[in-house]
């Protein structure tokens, strides 16, 4: 009987851990809160420093994961309870009702076309709308639609029912209930990733009040060919093409009052987004306001230099004091201090400003930690057991990888995920 | 006079351009129905003979689509394609076939729109070039 | 004579709304070798798959063509259905008439239908020429070899033996621990490296699965995944180790400055590792200046060595703790204290009085010797002024660089290096601990300067990857590999050069020389096929005859129209 492992979180770290564990012969149950696996990487346009198309390199792994004979996906699901002790853990998984029979749904999309309800799309970071019945993104795995109970007219008030009429596979089931599954697992892997801090917590940066101030993940969606603007770099206020672009680093990070730590990846992704912006708009001029330019990985320094020399990116070492609207709804003014003793306060106008907010352990990871009895560090990331065990949590049998343990980029998350698989194998072999 | 409706053959690599074509489909990006795709694992496996066979048989245009340079799933495959196809174009020119009937381009798995653009452009170009003169040849 | 069944999917409205499925079925029935042509609402559903299986049995089909969506999602599903009905899964061909047809020609149903017919004709032509395939398998020797006995190699080896896998750890020097062995206290927790290393070594020594070879070098490596032969030499004696997987953990070294800032001529100008040794002996300076980025982030060596800022922060704090009246400065171009714990260290150092000065590449500092002590002159960019710092010690934080023998190791294992001599992984984002060559893995600072926890994480990752083929006991390869027809092969070697995976070699058998493809290494790209001048090299599932038949089918059906 193969031993079972529950992996919580279906981003790149969870997917990699699942693949390795499955290849090692374990029965993997991958639990993902949203309707599709893929996580943050699915929302990126390209990845630094190679500017690989993110979905192109992620999608084969998603398909492999779903198709692996040793992996069972539990999407639109959450872990409700964990009892027992390693190696006899009982994990109760709640699969939320999708109101769609996933064995019948073929993901053809006829229902989506006819649904009359439109709501802000979380995947597109609220820059566009989706329907109440939806696929989170075109390459979703599993390719099954989900009805959002909170916005569906039928589920809320018993009216409509268009999707059921249109579905030729008979997959719509308005009476579907949440499903509970219990897995007798030998180990658990936590790979719950990150969320962006809501930058409106720092009103001086203009997020929420200024139309042309967006968060970095929103900018990724704007750049994406499959995103809300079809990959056209336009600004929210009037849909015009920005010529002057700015990035503000460390919004809420390295901040005494907000989050003290460094989110690690923002210097690099801001540089990447600047390069991509130039590729979209050949005469765009970009400024990055930063504190320290943390380009510490393979090829990273060269990437930053290329941005400066070949893509005209202007790096200004300064932490802006204020970001506000320029004219009514349009344009943005950034106020900062220039360097040196003779430094003075300068205000510059930009067409579009991108904020790089602090990257936080994902919402729900704190509650999950409590459920699992795991210790958190001062920044609410999952604490490692000790130096000897960098991917073990403080509870035996529960391993952690990726951003859930500390801010890190894709290669480090993938390495940790494979590392977790080794640790599971050690523990289940009788090791400590 | 019936309008000339070209017949075009396209070789798409599994990892990039075939997926890009799929994405165009998913996005319902409309394009002229003249393209017929043959899936290969890598654009580097497209032999010159295939192009020449297609053209000599009367196919009006051949499109070879691979991953962008640097992104080849098999590392260096598309470097060879990049060198090979211009040579095939030279051969076509030598035998009196307009070398524009062979086009090499790079489409990534996320470039549904680019696929649509390349296909639409190429069909337009071939329409302008007219039917493949080899159609008249009776073997 | 093949017996082909064609199954056309409606996909609800998605195909049927544009493509006239009935007309397509009628057309398909008339194609060569087609015995039956059927349609279903959703071929991929339980019902659809069931009806295909039934049809295979009823009509004694030996080739199956499904015309539906993209093979990239459901090909495995249909292949399985074929297998279940007794048809070899490689006798299946998928024709895309949704993403590549119905969805992109919604306003032109007639042309779309004609196109679907042609695509199916092409698929049927290929299917008729498909051959059943057996996936190549090769066994795996259940032993791993880890090269390098530093922190990373120890971690990888300890994990492997804890997983119950026989592992040989090969270390060139007389002791284990590598560079970390020279660093007494490690950040950010200020723990003792000896405790960590001892634990790892003891875990290894306690296991009957581990064999440690000190004073040993690897002199030759041959073979491929599952079947390597690693030749090692200890004090003149040679031994051959058969192995299934190899992990490279040879680490990196500290760059020795070549006279910068008076190194070598001015006493008191030392490197970070030299400082580590002094601090370990209790020799704590009263005043110290750390200079960051000495020899890195500059023309000729552009990279940032990732770990030096944190090392300086840790050592600055050690000095401040040990010597209450000490005065410590760190002059830098950026402080790379990325992440959580390191950023706290930065703040702590600053709170405890460590002075941070920012300098620029264009204006490096200057170190001069005074009667008593040293003076560091530096242009502070933050305040636009020249500052003089009196100090006892100047610590040069130089980068980690690749070892001098990295090139030799790379040649031995036939793996690539980047321009700085660090080993180049298969894919910088998604395959950080693998090489393009199967069965060989990379971890630690040999790949890129890495911190203690990063080295350990990568060591564990490499152990996981290495364990997979060993656990499986065999390596199975998808049967889309290439082979050369020995009768046609001129042994010109073009394919050998073309193959990105070094999977082909020219062999001599029965007096005949030809190109032989190692099926276990072949990735099925077909690059060799197009480089072959004689049509000798073929790819299973994509042979010249098969693809040519598709072109013929297109020509036949297109020309008949006009």
């Amino acid at each position: 009987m193969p031993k079972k492992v529950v992996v919580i979180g279906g981003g790149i770290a969870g997917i990699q851990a699942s693949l390795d564990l499955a290849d090692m012969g374990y029965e993997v149950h991958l639990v993902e809160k949203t309707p599709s696996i893929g996580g943050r990487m699915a929302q990126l346009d390209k990845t630094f420093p190679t500017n690989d198309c993110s979905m192109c390199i992620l999608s084969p792994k998603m398909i492999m994961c779903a198709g692996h004979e040793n992996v069972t996906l539990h999407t639109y699901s959450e872990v409700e309870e964990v009892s027992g002790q390693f190696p006899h853990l009982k994990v109760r998984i709640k699969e939320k009702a999708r109101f769609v029979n996933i064995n019948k749904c073929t993901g053809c999309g006829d229902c989506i076309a006819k649904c009359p309800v439109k709501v802000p799309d979380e995947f597109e970071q609220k820059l566009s709308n989706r329907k109440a019945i939806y696929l989170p993104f075109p390459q979703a795995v599993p390719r099954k639609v989900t009805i959002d109970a909170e916005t569906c007219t039928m589920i809320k008030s018993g009216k409509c029912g268009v999707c059921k009429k249109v579905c030729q596979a008979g997959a719509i089931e308005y009476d579907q209930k949440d499903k509970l599954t219990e897995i007798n697992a030998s180990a658990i892997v936590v790979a719950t990733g990150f969320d962006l801090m809501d930058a409106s917590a720092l009103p001086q940066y203009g997020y929420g009040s200024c139309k042309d101030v967006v968060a970095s993940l929103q900018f990724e969606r704007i750049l994406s060919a499959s995103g809300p603007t079809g990959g056209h770099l336009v600004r929210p206020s009037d849909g015009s093409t920005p010529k002057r672009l700015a990035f503000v680093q460390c919004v809420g990070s390295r901040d005494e009052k907000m989050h003290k730590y460094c989110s690690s990846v923002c210097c690099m992704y801001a540089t990447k987004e600047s390069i991509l912006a130039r590729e979209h708009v050949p005469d765009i001029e970009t400024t990055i306001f930063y504190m320290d330019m943390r380009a510490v990985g393979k090829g990273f320094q060269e990437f930053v230099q290329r941005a400066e020399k070949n893509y005209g990116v202007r790096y200004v070492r300064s932490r802006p004091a204020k970001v506000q609207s320029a004219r009514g709804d349009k344009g943005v003014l950034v106020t900062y201090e220039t360097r040196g003793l003779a430094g003075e306060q300068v205000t510059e106008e930009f067409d579009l400003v991108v904020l790089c907010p602090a990257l936080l352990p994902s919402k729900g990871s704190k509650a999950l930690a409590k459920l699992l009895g795991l210790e958190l560090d001062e920044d609410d990331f999952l604490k490692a057991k000790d130096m000897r065990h960098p991917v073990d949590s403080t509870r035996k049998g529960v391993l952690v990888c990726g951003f859930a343990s500390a801010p890190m980029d894709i290669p480090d998350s993938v390495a940790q995920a494979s590392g977790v698989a080794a640790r599971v194998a050690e523990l289940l072999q009788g090791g400590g | 006079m019936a309008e000339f409706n070209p017949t075009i053959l396209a070789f798409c690599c599994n990892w990039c351009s075939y997926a890009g074509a799929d994405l165009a489909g998913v996005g319902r990006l409309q394009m002229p129905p003249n393209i017929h795709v043959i899936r290969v694992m890598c654009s580097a496996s497209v032999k010159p003979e295939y192009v020449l066979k297609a053209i000599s048989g009367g196919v009006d245009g051949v499109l070879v689509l691979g991953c962008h340079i640097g992104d080849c799933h098999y590392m260096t495959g598309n470097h060879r394609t990049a060198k090979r196809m211009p040579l095939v174009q030279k051969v076509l020119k030598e035998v009196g076939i307009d070398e524009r009937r062979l086009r090499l381009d790079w489409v990534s798995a996320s470039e549904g729109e680019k696929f649509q653009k390349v296909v639409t452009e190429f069909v337009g170009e071939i329409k302008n070039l007219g039917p493949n003169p080899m159609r008249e040849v009776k073997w | 004579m093949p017996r082909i069944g064609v199954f056309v999917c409606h996909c609800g409205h998605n195909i049927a709304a544009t493509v006239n499925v009935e007309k397509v079925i009628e057309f398909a029935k008339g194609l060569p070798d087609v015995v039956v042509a059927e349609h279903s609402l959703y071929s991929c559903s339980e019902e659809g798959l069931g009806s295909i299986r039934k049809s295979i049995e009823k009509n004694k089909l030996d080739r199956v063509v499904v015309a539906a969506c993209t093979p990239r999602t459901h090909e495995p599903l249909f292949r399985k259905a074929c297998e279940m009905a007794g048809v070899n899964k490689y006798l299946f061909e998928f024709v895309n008439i949704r993403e590549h047809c119905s969805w992109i020609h919604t306003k032109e149903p007639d042309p779309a239908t004609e196109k679907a017919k042609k695509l199916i004709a092409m698929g049927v032509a290929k299917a008729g020429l498909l051959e059943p395939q057996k996936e190549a398998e090769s066994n795996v020797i259940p032993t791993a070899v880890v090269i390098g006995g530093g922190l990373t190699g120890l971690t990888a080896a300890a994990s492997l033996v804890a997983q119950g896998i026989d592992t040989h750890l090969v270390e060139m020097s007389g002791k284990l621990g590598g560079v970390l062995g020279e660093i007494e206290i490690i950040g950010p927790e200020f723990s003792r490296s000896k405790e960590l290393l001892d634990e790892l070594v003891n875990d290894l020594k306690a296991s009957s699965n581990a064999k440690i070879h000190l004073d040993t070098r690897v002199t030759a490596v041959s073979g491929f995944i599952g079947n390597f032969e690693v030749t090692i030499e200890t004090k003149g004696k040679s031994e051959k180790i058969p192995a299934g997987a190899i992990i490279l953990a040879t680490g990196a070294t500290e760059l020795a400055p070549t006279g910068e800032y008076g190194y070598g001529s001015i006493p008191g100008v030392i490197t970070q590792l030299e400082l580590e040794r002094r601090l370990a002996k209790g020799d704590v300076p009263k005043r110290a200046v750390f200079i960051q980025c000495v020899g890195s982030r500059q023309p000729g060596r552009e990279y940032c060595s990732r770990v030096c800022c944190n090392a300086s922060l840790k050592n600055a704090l050690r000095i401040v703790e040990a010597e209450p009246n000490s005065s410590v400065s760190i002059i830098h171009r950026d402080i790379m204290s990325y992440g959580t714990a390191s950023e706290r260290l930065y703040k702590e150092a600053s709170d405890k009085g460590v002075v941070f000065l920012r300098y620029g590449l264009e204006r490096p500092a200057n170190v001069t010797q005074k009667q008593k002590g040293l003076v560091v002159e530096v242009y502070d960019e933050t305040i636009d002024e020249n500052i003089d710092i009196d100090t006892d010690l100047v610590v040069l934080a130089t980068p980690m660089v690749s070892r001098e023998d990295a090139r030799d190791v790379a040649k031995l294992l036939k793996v690539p290096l980047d321009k700085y001599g660090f080993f180049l992984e298969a894919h910088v984002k998604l395959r950080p601990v693998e090489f393009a060559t199967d069965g060989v893995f990379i971890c630690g600072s040999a790949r890129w300067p890495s911190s203690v926890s990063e080295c350990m994480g990568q060591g564990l990752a490499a152990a996981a990857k290495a364990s997979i083929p060993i656990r499986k006991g065999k390596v199975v390869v998808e049967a889309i590999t290439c082979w050369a027809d020995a009768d046609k092969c001129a042994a010109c070697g073009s394919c050998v050069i073309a193959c990105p995976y070094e999977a082909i070699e020219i062999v001599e058998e029965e007096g005949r020389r030809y190109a032989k493809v190692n099926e276990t290494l072949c990735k099925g790209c077909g690059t060799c096929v197009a480089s072959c001048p004689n049509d000798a090299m073929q790819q299973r599932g994509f042979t010249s005859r098969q693809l040519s038949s598709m072109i013929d089918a297109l020509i036949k059906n297109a020309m008949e129209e006009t």
Side-chain angles (χ1 to χ4, degrees), chain A residues 282-298:
Chain A
D283 57 347
I284 202 170
E285 276 165 22
T286 306
T287 305
I288 299 183
F289 293 99
Y290 74 105
M291 293 174 66
D292 290 279
M293 189 44 51
R294 291 181 169 171
V296 300
K298 208 175 233 200

Side-chain angles (χ1 to χ4, degrees), chain B residues 9-130:
Chain B
L9 178 64
F11 288 94
C12 290
C13 71
N14 183 62
W15 305 95
C16 284
S17 46
Y18 193 97
D22 281 347
L23 191 62
V26 166
R28 312 294 196 276
L29 302 178
Q30 303 299 298
M31 55 194 98
N34 306 79
I35 304 274
H36 306 80
V37 173
I38 288 182
R39 175 176 162 222
V40 291
M41 294 313 285
C42 181
S43 62
S45 68
V46 177
K47 296 168 74 110
E49 291 94 310
Y50 300 149
V51 179
L52 299 173
K53 182 188 178 66
I55 299 281
S56 54
V59 170
D60 301 295
V62 178
L63 197 49
V64 175
L65 300 176
C67 304
H68 288 269
I69 297 289
D71 288 348
C72 179
H73 186 83
Y74 305 101
M75 304 189 297
T76 48
N78 56 0
H79 294 189
R80 291 182 177 269
T81 319
K83 289 210 156 131
R84 183 174 289 129
M85 291 304 137
L87 293 175
V88 182
Q89 280 174 321
K90 269 199 167 146
V91 171
L92 287 175
K93 194 171 177 187
E94 281 296 306
V95 300
I97 303 286
D98 195 314
E99 74 263 28
R100 289 172 291 178
R101 292 189 185 274
L102 168 63
R103 176 167 168 171
L104 171 65
D105 217 318
W106 316 113
V107 174
S108 90
S110 66
E111 289 181 312
E113 279 191 21
K114 183 164 184 198
F115 182 77
Q116 177 196 38
K117 179 164 169 275
V118 170
V119 165
T120 311
E121 264 176 32
F122 191 57
V123 173
E125 264 180 54
I126 300 295
K127 278 189 171 160
N128 284 337
L129 289 178

Side-chain angles (χ1 to χ4, degrees), chain B residues 7 14 18-19 21-22 25 28-31 33 35 39 41-42 44-45 47 50 53 57-58 74-75 80 84 135, chain C residues 70-72 96 99-100 103-106 115 498 500-501 524-527 530 535 542 544 548 552 555 558-559 562:
Chain B
T7 298
N14 183 62
Y18 193 97
D22 281 347
R28 312 294 196 276
L29 302 178
Q30 303 299 298
M31 55 194 98
I35 304 274
R39 175 176 162 222
M41 294 313 285
C42 181
S45 68
K47 296 168 74 110
Y50 300 149
K53 182 188 178 66
Y74 305 101
M75 304 189 297
R80 291 182 177 269
R84 183 174 289 129
R135 282 175 181 249
Chain C
T70 172
R72 284 167 53 89
N96 185 336
E99 280 86 337
H100 289 194
W103 271 353
I104 57 175
H105 312 306
T106 52
K115 176 173 162 173
Y501 302 97
C525 65
T527 303
D535 201 39
F542 299 91
S544 329
S548 297
D552 282 331
I555 291 169
M559 300 305 135
T562 47

Side-chain angles (χ1 to χ4, degrees), chain C residues 435-454:
Chain C
F435 281 113
T437 310
D438 286 331
V440 188
F441 307 96
I442 179 66
C443 44
S445 296
R447 183 197 73 99
W448 191 253
S450 301
S451 69
V452 166
S453 64
E454 287 163 356

